[in-house]
């Protein structure tokens, strides 16, 4: 997870809109408690959480298209992050 090399510049490029269909996931957990603890460990980083079928995913950005999500993933430098549909 971040810090990023140029946090202010990257923050200006990030989307964080719950209406977007895609997100850049940085972690996945089997329960809400573990996901919440992960989010709490990074108080200076904007993170969101979504659940789907008992899996809790933590994301750091959203996007309107799949290609935008992959571009954000590359921009953020998260080699282990992946793109996921929000709904």
């Amino acid at each position: 997870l971040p810090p990023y090399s140029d946090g202010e510049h990257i923050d200006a490029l990030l989307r964080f809109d719950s209406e977007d269909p895609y997100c850049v996931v940085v972690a996945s957990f089997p329960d809400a408690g573990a996901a919440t603890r992960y989010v709490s460990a990074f108080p200076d980083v904007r993170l969101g959480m979504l659940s789907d079928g008992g899996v809790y995913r933590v994301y750091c950005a959203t996007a309107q298209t799949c290609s935008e999500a992959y571009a954000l993933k590359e921009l953020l430098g998260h080699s282990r992050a992946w793109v996921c549909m929000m709904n």
Side-chain angles (χ1 to χ4, degrees), residues 13-54:
L13 299 174
L14 294 181
R15 290 181 57 84
F16 214 88
D17 186 336
S18 63
E19 298 296 314
D20 284 347
Y22 298 94
C23 62
V24 179
V25 177
V26 294
S28 183
F29 299 94
D31 61 76
T36 300
R37 286 189 297 278
Y38 182 86
V39 170
S40 296
F42 299 97
D44 296 332
V45 178
R46 187 168 186 191
L47 296 171
M49 188 170 42
L50 60 97
S51 65
D52 181 31

